[in-house]
């Protein structure tokens, strides 16, 4: 009986640890800036990858500028392949491998656009400044 109780306690601790790690929604204070925004033909391209989550999770873009969100997948078969952007009423399944461009209207300064997977486990944000 004791081994069963110990196994249950250890399993519970592992599940709780995994839950806490997936709920960490803030970037580390010392995380290096990511250069994932480029200008092209009068608009900006914000590039992220989707596989086991979204990278980078936080991006900064220019406000009041036409923007393309470019999402790249490489063998992505997890829930991050089902992308949702609630504020835009956008919901699409990404290809397992490839690039999908999502055209965004210019966003006002101070707007933060949030995207997430179909299960709500993984998310990303674009802050427009």
């Amino acid at each position: 009986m004791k081994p069963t109780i110990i196994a249950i306690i250890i399993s519970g601790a592992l599940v709780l640890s995994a839950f806490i790690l997936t709920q960490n929604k803030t970037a580390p204070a010392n995380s290096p800036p990511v250069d994932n925004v480029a200008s092209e033909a009068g608009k900006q391209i914000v590039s992220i990858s989707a596989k086991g989550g979204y990278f980078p999770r936080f991006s900064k873009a220019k406000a009041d500028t036409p923007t393309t969100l470019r999402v790249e997948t490489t063998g992505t078969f997890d829930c991050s392949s089902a992308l949702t952007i609630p504020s835009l009423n956008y919901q699409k399944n990404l290809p397992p491998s490839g690039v999908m461009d999502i055209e965004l209207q210019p966003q006002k300064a101070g707007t933060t656009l949030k995207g997430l997977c179909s299960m709500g486990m993984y998310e990303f944000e674009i802050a427009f400044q």
Side-chain angles (χ1 to χ4, degrees):
M1 185 140 170
K2 282 187 179 182
T4 304
I5 293 172
I6 292 172
I8 291 171
I9 292 171
I10 291 173
S11 297
L14 289 173
V15 169
L16 181 62
S17 297
F19 178 76
I20 290 170
L21 288 174
T22 61
Q23 296 304 308
N24 182 13
K25 304 290 185 195
T26 58
N30 61 354
S31 63
V34 176
D35 188 19
N36 67 317
V37 181
S39 293
E40 184 178 295
K43 65 179 170 179
Q44 61 187 342
I45 311 291
V46 178
S47 299
I48 64 170
S49 62
K51 185 173 183 177
Y54 302 103
F55 180 80
R57 287 181 47 199
F58 298 94
S59 303
K60 291 182 182 179
K62 292 180 187 174
D64 303 314
T65 304
T67 303
T68 298
L69 173 60
R70 182 165 289 159
V71 185
E72 182 177 354
T73 54
T74 309
T76 304
F77 295 100
D78 57 41
C79 64
S80 61
S81 68
L83 176 62
T84 301
I85 305 172
S87 64
L88 301 179
N89 225 7
Y90 181 88
Q91 190 171 16
K92 292 270 184 173
N93 288 325
L94 303 171
S97 293
V99 175
M100 180 176 280
D101 284 349
I102 304 164
E103 300 301 324
L104 306 175
Q105 295 296 319
Q107 302 291 309
K108 295 181 187 229
T111 301
T112 299
L113 194 65
K114 294 183 180 187
L116 57 146
C117 72
S118 60
M119 295 177 65
M121 288 176 42
Y122 304 119
E123 64 181 42
F124 66 89
E125 294 181 1
I126 304 170
F128 289 89
Q129 303 174 337

